[in-house]
Every structure is written in C-alpha cells, then in structure tokens.
C-alpha cells in the first residue's frame, strides 16, 4: 500500500476522532434502527441516497429483498438473487466470475480486472471487481438493487445499476441464531451468528456460513463420475464502537474460502477453426439436453480461491444536522483454479491453471446534512487504488490448430501461457442536492467527476526448450527464425503502426500501455406527492463505466487494445402507490436508455489460429421498457408479490465479428442476456394453528422469455453443426419453487421443507465458443430439502 494511501486513512480517522471528542456533549446519539421484518413495503427502509429513507419516499427504482426472504426462499447464490429480482439477469461465465445484466446493460468479460456495469457494495463499501462479491450474501438485513446509471452517490461508476448488501448489525442486547439446511446432493448449508454488547460503548456481531454439497453434474463418458461439489466457508465480524454521543465507528472484517469445483459446460455444437480436427473431438457426441449432463477432462475442474476484506466506517456529527463520514476499505483476493472450456474429456481448450491476485484499496470522505431538512445535500470524494494480476496456462493439445500445425508444419503445439498485470488509480468528487419546493414537490440534482488511469503489462510466453510450446512456433514459423531460437520471451507480435514501449512493428514483445480517461456523470429529477401514499418521479441521468484491458490468448498486439469507457443516457418516469389502507402496493416505471460505446467481448479472425478473443466497443445501442410490481396483502398473513418486466434492447450500430465468429452488420440485433419479457409471482401464507404455533406455505414462479448469449446469436456460424437450432440462443424457461413448514408464534424456532426448480426444468444462462466447441452452462436441476432455524 502506498504511503499516501496510509496517510489518507490515518488523517481521515484521526480528524474524525479528535473532532468527536471536542463535540462530545453537543449532540445526542441517534436512535438504533432495527432489522425486524416490516408489515408493508411502505415501511421498508433503504439507503439508496446514502441516508436511511422509507422505500416509498425514494424517487428511484429500487428492488429490495429482505434478510427473512433470503432465508425463507433459500436464496444462497448470486443466480438465486437474480431469479427473484425483476430485470436482473445472472450469467455464469466460463471461469465462474459472476456477470450481471440489469435492464439490458451488462458486460460479459471474465478477466479479473474488468470493472462491472452493475457494481456491488457491502454497506456502501465497493467490491470493485465482480469476483469479490461471490460469497457476500449471508447474515444480511436486506439487499438493495438500484436500477439505472449510478455514480453520483456511490464510489464506483456503473452504467447498469448497483447492488448494495446490507449486513445485519450488532444489537443492543444479546442475541444468537442458527440455521441448518439439508438437501439433495447431500447439500448442507449451516449459518449462525451471535450479537450483543461488550460494554456501554462497544458491541459486536460474529457470523459465519458453511456450504457443502456433492457434485451434481454427471459425466457423459465416465458413468459414476461427478463434478460440481461445493465447499464454501464464509465469516464476518462487525464491531460497533461509539465512545461519544457524536462519534461512531463500525469495523467490518469479512472473508471467504471457495474450494468448490468449477462448472463444466455442455458440448452442444462443433465449430472447427482449422482444416484438421482431432479424431477424439470429431468422434465426440453432443451432450444430452438434460440439467445434469456434461463432460470434462478427468480431474481438471478445481478451485481454491479466497478473499478477505476490512472496512472502517467512521461518522462524526459536527453539528445537530451535519455529519462527516469516512469509509476506508481494503480487499485482498487470491485465485487458483482450473476450468474445462470445451465440455469434452479431451484437451481441446482447457485452462489448466488460472491464477490471480487482486489488491484493492478504497477511501471515501463525505459531508452531509440530516434527512429532515427541506434542503438535503451531500458532498464528498472517492479514491481507489487497485492492483490486479492474472496468469493463465491454456492447454490446446487436442484442438484443430494443434492438429493442423502438427500435420502441416511439424509443430503440434499444446500449450500457451499468458498474463496481464494491471494497476488502476481512480479519484472522484461528487455532490447531490434535494430541495423540497413544497410539501408535495422535490427537486433533485447531483454530479460526479471521475478521473481514471489504468496501466497494463500484457505478455504471452512459455517455458523455453520444449518444441511443442507456442513460443517456439512463433519464433521458428511465424517470425521465420530471424530472431533465433525461442528462449522464454514474450512472443506476441506487434502489428500496430507504432512502436509500443520499445517493441517495433513486426517484432514480438510485451504490450505495455496506459489508458487515461475522465467523465462527469450526473442525475436530475423531480419527485411529486399528489396525495398521501402516492409518489410520482421522473429522472434524467448520465452514467459511465471505465474502460480496460483484456486477458486473452493473442497472436498480435491488436488483441490487447483496451475498450474505452461506455456511457448510458437514461430517461425514466415512475410511480409508487400505497392503496386501500396499505393492502395493495403498486410500483411502476418506464425507461429509455441511449447506450453508447457498449463494451463487448467479441472475436477477430486470425489467419493463423481462427477466431480469437478481443474486446470491442459497440458504437450505439438503445434500451426501452417498463416494469410493473404489485404487492398484495388481502388477508392477515397472506402476501402476494408479482412483477412484470418488458425490455426491448437493440443494437443500433455495429458491424464486425461477434463472439460466435460471425461477421455481419448487426444493426437491429438483440442485446445479449436480456429477455424481452419477465414475470415473477411469489406468495406466502402464514397462519396460526394454536396459541403458540403457526404454519406457513409459500410458492414462487419465475418465467423469462428467450434471449441470446452473443450479439447476433440468432445466426449460427456457417461452419458450425448442428444447424437446426440456435447454437447461441438461451431458451425461455420457468422455475417453480415451493416451501412449507411450522414455526413458533414468536418465530424463535422454525422448521420447513422446500423445493427449488421442482419440475426439473432444463435451462441455461450462457453459451460460449471455445476454439472448436460450443458449450452451454446449465442451471441446477430440481433440489429439495429441510431447514431448521433457532433464534435466542
């Protein structure tokens, strides 16, 4: 960590502490908020505007999932969260890095150092890179999903939205609880916490979660062999320290360990890249279209990843209404995993090593006044310094490229190693104002200036001395032997019309470059309350997402070129209405996005190796749609929630090669991972059986229409087989969940039985081209089990 970074943390905390002592007798401590379930959406408290507000007073589209719902509906993963959140889609990437698409805005990129379009936070602290959020959803008070461009108030620009995990906080009295669940595939999920005061000024909460399960994927070629075991361990310690009435600190130390198997794709299509195909690949049968069917190289899928994070929130009440807040955090992530890329027991394209490291520091300082004033404001600054390294060893021994080069030139290369080292430094200044023109009308405006710099050092090199390494092929064949024998150097060739860090055009070497960008994101809007319980709002916003460099297997420098920042101009109008004495809650919003320079992982056609990965900007896209939600409580204990989403997301301008290797003009093509229609209904009924016992039943149905995994996914590559189905399409699907049980009237204990995807629907959320094969990433089959919980 840089000296300046340490100084910034120390100065901000010291200043807050000293000022807190000076003002200790001036302001009384704020009342403790509770995490108890609310009886109506009108009571739900959120922090979308960096202060606590009732959800129905927030003129933004915010989806909220309570901690109780997370447990009762067995929401244990990021894909589960997406299934219950309207307009949010989860994509399982080839290496397990989570990818979110919200209202058609997403960035499918598996590099560790890629910033997301939907940013994630833990108590407003940014988890700057998607993989850091993989196991954050435990012991939560709620999850808030903010839709539309973000950046004016949060510490990371995002064009799609933001997900804020709100951790359950330390309590004023001693409390403890545990939940144990057992289900299909010997799945064991155990979660526990203990919380309470340690002194008059100190309280703490310790929580943890364990997930164990056997493999759910079955090998098509080796009966009895399974993949997909789960071994996850999570923990969090929160320490709340309030030495004076005006000064508060919250320390959050959390982390996780993931030793699960990486998922294998289903081999559903053949797309040879060279003349000669490996005999085993040519003879391979397509995978059965069943949830559990798959194949992989024996013993390959493996994961040993870990993350820890520490954050410190310090708050000082300078006056009765003005508060200074400091948010400091540091995250450290280590990755060591192996991924099967081709869905076959052969080595067509497998990542036999995928190692990486993320070190990320974030600091925010902001000043704001109280939420009760007619003029509410916040000003502040953010700083981020991150270092991201990734090293990949790729085996292509059974690929058509290896086969062809072996037959034609006597160079049957089998491996390639490539790496990217990146350093990111971003700083920003932001401000936001809300002014009540009258009791009914509020005007809102905010802006954020961001300056971002990314430095990259990218190299492909192999151990020297082995004639089957790719480096030898480059030096002996592609470079004609003019540089002598290969000796472990970076071998990718500079095909740019300029010298890059000393590497002249036509020569091989490391690609060293820096991307500098800045932008101003902003939001303006009006809230109108024509009657009690009714809110009408309209917002116009501009959001950005920074550019970056890819981690790809390359032959020329043009594959290393970065994508520049993308932007979304958003227009949105909506309403929130609490009707019939809070029996019915209706929410709706219509929106239009002008989406420019969308970042896309695509392909280019390489004369030597066929289609290879590259990052590109799509000049222009557009998204329009609307959302409707209804929450009904017709009788005591019965709650029915429903949501319908329509999204029309199109490419307006793009000619090139898509991620399937198809060259075309894609004007009018669908934006990937964005179903046009989504419908979700969830119902829960809790009723008394006796004076001390209640019973409950519940059901959830989620339907999504078809979509595509790549731009132009409705078009098959001409050299691919079979041709009688959309190889890069994602079919429509319906998931049905059920639950039932009993609990004590004070909810101290609870017993339930549950089922997820009870009709064993076969569905998938991604399709990837991997050299010669096309593979689907299927969703889990039907699961069911029993859960026990107890709270003290």
């Amino acid at each position: 960590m840089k000296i300046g970074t340490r100084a910034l943390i120390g100065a901000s905390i010291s200043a807050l502490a000293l000022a807190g002592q000076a003002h200790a007798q001036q302001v009384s401590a704020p009342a403790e908020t509770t995490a108890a379930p609310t009886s109506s959406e009108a009571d739900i408290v959120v922090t979308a505007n960096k202060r606590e507000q009732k959800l129905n007073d927030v003129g933004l589209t915010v989806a909220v999932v309570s901690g109780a719902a997370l447990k009762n509906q067995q929401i244990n993963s990021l894909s589960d969260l997406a299934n219950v959140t309207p307009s949010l889609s989860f994509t399982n990437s080839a290496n397990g890095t989570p990818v979110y698409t919200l209202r058609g805005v997403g960035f499918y990129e598996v590099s560790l150092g890629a910033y997301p379009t939907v940013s994630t936070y833990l108590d407003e602290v940014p988890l700057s890179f998607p993989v850091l959020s993989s196991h954050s959803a435990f012991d939560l008070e709620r999850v808030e999903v903010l839709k539309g461009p973000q950046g004016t108030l949060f510490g990371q620009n995002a064009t799609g939205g933001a997900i804020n995990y709100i951790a359950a906080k330390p309590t004023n009295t001693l409390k403890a609880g545990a939940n144990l669940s057992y289900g299909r595939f010997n799945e064991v999920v155990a979660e526990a916490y203990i919380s309470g005061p340690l002194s008059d000024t100190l309280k703490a909460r310790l929580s943890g979660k364990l997930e164990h399960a056997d493999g759910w994927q079955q090998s098509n070629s080796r009966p009895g062999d399974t993949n997909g075991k789960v071994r996850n361990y999570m923990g969090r310690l929160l320490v709340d320290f309030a030495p004076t009435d005006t000064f508060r600190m919250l320390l959050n130390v959390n982390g996780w360990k993931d030793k699960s198997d990486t998922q294998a794709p289903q081999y559903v299509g053949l797309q040879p890249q060279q003349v000669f195909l490996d005999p085993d690949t040519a003879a391979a049968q397509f995978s059965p279209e069943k949830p559990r069917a798959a194949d992989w190289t024996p013993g390959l899928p493996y994961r040993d990843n870990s993350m820890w994070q520490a954050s410190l929130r310090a708050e000082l009440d300078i006056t009765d209404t003005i508060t200074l807040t400091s948010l400091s955090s540091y995250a450290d992530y280590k990755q060591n995993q192996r991924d099967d890329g081709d869905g076959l027991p052969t080595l067509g394209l497998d990542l036999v090593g995928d190692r990486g490291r993320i070190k990320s520091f974030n600091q925010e300082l902001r000043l704001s006044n109280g939420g009760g004033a007619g003029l509410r404001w916040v000003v502040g600054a953010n700083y981020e310094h991150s270092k991201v390294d990734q090293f990949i060893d790729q085996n292509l021994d059974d690929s058509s490229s290896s086969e062809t080069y072996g037959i034609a030139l006597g160079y049957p290369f089998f491996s390639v190693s490539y790496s990217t080292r990146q350093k990111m430094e971003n700083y920003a200044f932001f401000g936001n104002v809300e002014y009540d023109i009258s009791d009914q009308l509020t005007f809102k405006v905010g802006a954020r200036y961001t300056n971002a710099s990314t430095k990259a050092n990218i190299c492909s090199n192999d151990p020297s001395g082995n004639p089957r390494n790719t480096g030898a092929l480059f030096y002996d064949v592609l470079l004609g032997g003019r540089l002598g024998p290969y000796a472990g150097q970076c071998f990718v060739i500079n095909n740019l019309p300029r010298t890059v860090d000393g590497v002249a055009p036509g020569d091989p070497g490391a690609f060293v470059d820096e991307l500098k960008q800045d932008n101003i994101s902003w939001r303006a809007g009006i809230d109108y309350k024509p009657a009690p319980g009714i809110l009408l709002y309209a917002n116009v916003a501009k959001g950005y997402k920074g550019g970056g460099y890819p981690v790809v297997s390359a032959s020329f420098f043009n594959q290393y070129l970065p994508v520049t920042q993308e932007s979304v101009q958003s227009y949105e109008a909506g309403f929130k209405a609490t009707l019939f004495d809070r029996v019915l809650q209706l929410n709706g919003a219509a929106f239009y996005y002008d989406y420019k320079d969308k970042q896309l992982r695509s392909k280019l056609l390489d004369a030597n190796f066929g289609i290879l990965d590259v990052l590109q900007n799509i000049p222009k896209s557009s998204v329009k749609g609307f959302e409707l939600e209804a929450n009904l409580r017709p009788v005591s204990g019965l709650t029915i929630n429903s949501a319908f989403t329509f999204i029309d997301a199109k490419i307006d301008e793009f000619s090139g090669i898509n991620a399937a290797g198809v060259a075309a003009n894609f004007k009018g093509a669908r934006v990937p991972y964005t179903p046009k229609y989504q419908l979700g209904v969830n119902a829960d009924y809790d009723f008394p059986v006796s004076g001390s016992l209640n019973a409950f039943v519940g059901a959830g149905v989620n339907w999504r229409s078809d979509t595509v995994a790549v731009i132009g996914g409705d078009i098959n590559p001409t050299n691919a087989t079979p041709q009688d189905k959309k190889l890069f399409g994602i079919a429509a699907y319906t998931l049905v969940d059920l639950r039932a049980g009993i609990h004590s009237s004070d909810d101290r204990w609870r017993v339930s039985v549950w089922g997820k995807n009870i009709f064993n629907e076969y569905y998938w959320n991604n399709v990837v081209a991997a050299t010669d094969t096309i593979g689907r990433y299927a969703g889990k089959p039907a699961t069911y089990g029993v859960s026990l919980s107890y709270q003290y």
Side-chain angles (χ1 to χ4, degrees), residues 636-679:
S636 177
L638 177 60
T639 302
I640 303 172
N641 303 320
S642 61
F644 175 77
T645 301
F646 166 80
I647 302 176
D648 185 15
K650 300 290 187 183
I651 303 299
D652 297 327
E653 181 184 342
F654 173 52
S655 293
I657 302 176
N658 70 0
V662 175
N665 183 340
F666 294 102
K667 181 178 181 179
R670 293 188 283 175
V671 170
Y673 310 115
T674 307
K676 194 168 189 176
Y677 305 102
Q678 298 179 44
L679 176 64

Side-chain angles (χ1 to χ4, degrees), residues 602-620:
S602 187
K603 302 286 185 180
L604 56 74
L605 182 61
D606 181 85
N608 301 304
F609 304 105
I611 57 173
L612 297 177
D613 288 341
V614 68
L615 292 183
Q616 288 183 301
N617 288 104
I618 306 303
K620 185 173 175 54

Side-chain angles (χ1 to χ4, degrees), residues 233 451 485 605:
Y233 312 88
N451 188 290
L605 182 61

Side-chain angles (χ1 to χ4, degrees), residues 319-561:
T319 69
D320 290 353
T321 60
I322 297 177
T323 300
L324 179 63
T325 302
S326 169
L327 286 173
S328 308
S329 69
Y330 179 77
D332 191 325
Y333 170 76
K334 297 178 181 179
Q335 175 169 294
N336 182 17
Q337 65 182 47
R338 301 190 297 261
D339 311 294
D340 189 288
D342 54 16
L344 293 173
T346 58
L347 292 166
L349 190 152
D350 291 339
L351 303 188
V352 297
D354 186 354
R355 306 174 307 282
R357 185 79 180 268
I358 297 175
K359 297 180 180 181
S360 181
F361 168 77
N362 284 271
Q363 173 67 50
E364 177 178 311
L365 282 173
R366 69 174 186 259
L367 197 65
S368 61
N369 70 340
L375 176 65
R376 298 170 296 279
W377 53 266
V378 56
V379 294
N382 304 108
Y383 174 78
E384 178 199 347
H385 179 82
S386 297
K387 181 180 179 182
V388 183
D389 299 332
Q390 189 169 7
F391 309 89
I392 293 178
D393 298 316
Q394 189 178 86
N395 193 307
L396 306 101
D397 203 11
D398 298 317
S399 69
S400 62
S401 294
S402 177
E403 191 77 9
T404 300
Y405 272 95
I407 294 174
L409 299 174
Y411 274 84
F413 66 93
F414 75 97
S415 71
V416 59
S417 299
Y418 50 98
S419 64
T420 299
R421 300 176 183 269
Q422 298 187 65
K423 292 182 179 180
M424 297 86 159
E425 190 164 34
N426 308 316
Y427 63 85
F429 304 96
F430 63 90
N432 194 77
V433 175
E434 298 179 38
Y435 176 61
D436 294 332
I437 300 173
S438 67
D439 291 341
Q440 295 177 306
L441 191 63
T442 300
F443 175 71
K444 309 169 295 184
V445 63
R448 181 176 191 258
Y449 170 76
T450 302
N451 188 290
S453 170
T454 301
K455 297 178 180 179
N457 187 317
I458 310 175
C459 175
S460 291
N461 67 317
D462 295 318
S464 60
N466 190 329
R468 294 198 63 196
N469 284 337
T470 311
L473 170 67
F474 271 67
Y475 266 61
D476 294 347
V477 178
L478 301 185
L479 292 167
R482 64 182 176 85
L483 298 177
Y486 179 68
Q489 307 95 323
C490 300
F491 56 73
V492 174
I493 301 169
N494 180 9
N495 66 334
L496 304 177
R498 57 184 173 89
T499 298
V500 179
D501 195 49
V503 181
D507 285 348
F511 180 83
V512 180
D513 195 34
E514 181 175 8
L515 177 65
K516 293 183 177 181
Q517 296 178 304
D518 64 352
N519 58 70
I520 298 177
S521 56
W522 54 269
R523 181 191 300 274
I526 294 178
D527 294 348
Y528 177 56
K529 298 179 180 179
I534 306 295
L535 171 66
L536 307 177
Y537 62 92
N539 298 309
V540 180
K542 184 69 171 286
Y544 291 86
K545 187 190 91 67
Y549 296 87
V551 180
V552 295
S553 176
S555 57
F556 295 103
F557 272 17
N558 62 332
Q559 281 183 259
Y560 292 150
L561 293 176

Side-chain angles (χ1 to χ4, degrees), residues 267-271 286 289 716-717 719-727 774:
Y267 170 52
V268 297
L270 177 64
Q271 186 182 5
F286 296 129
E289 296 188 345
N716 285 336
N719 65 329
T721 55
Q723 287 285 334
D724 59 351
K725 60 184 177 182
K726 295 178 182 178
L727 293 174
I774 301 169

Side-chain angles (χ1 to χ4, degrees), residues 186-307:
N186 289 318
E187 181 187 56
V188 175
V189 178
E191 186 173 354
Y193 76 92
I194 184 169
S195 175
L198 301 177
S199 70
D200 292 341
T201 59
L202 191 67
K203 51 188 177 181
R205 185 182 186 103
L206 179 64
S207 60
K209 187 175 183 180
L210 174 149
E211 297 174 341
H212 270 224
D214 295 338
W216 60 276
Q217 291 189 297
Q218 295 176 325
S219 170
N220 298 327
S221 62
R222 301 178 304 281
D225 193 5
T226 62
N227 181 57
K229 76 174 182 182
V230 176
R231 298 289 187 273
N232 297 326
Y233 312 88
M234 294 145 268
R236 181 184 299 130
L237 173 64
L238 291 173
V239 179
D240 190 331
F241 180 49
T244 73
D245 290 340
T246 60
F247 183 55
R248 301 167 297 280
M249 300 177 70
L250 180 65
L251 175 67
N252 183 337
V253 180
N254 64 86
W256 49 261
K257 182 80 168 178
D258 186 340
K259 295 180 70 68
S260 307
D261 291 340
T262 54
Q263 184 174 346
Q266 296 179 321
Y267 170 52
V268 297
L270 177 64
Q271 186 182 5
Q273 296 305 303
Q274 295 292 342
V275 177
F276 299 103
L277 194 62
D278 178 83
D280 290 333
T281 302
Q285 299 297 307
F286 296 129
S287 176
E289 296 188 345
K290 298 179 180 179
R292 300 186 65 183
D295 223 334
W296 56 92
T297 302
L300 180 67
Y302 169 83
R303 183 183 287 133
D304 186 5
N305 302 339
S306 63
M307 193 277 286

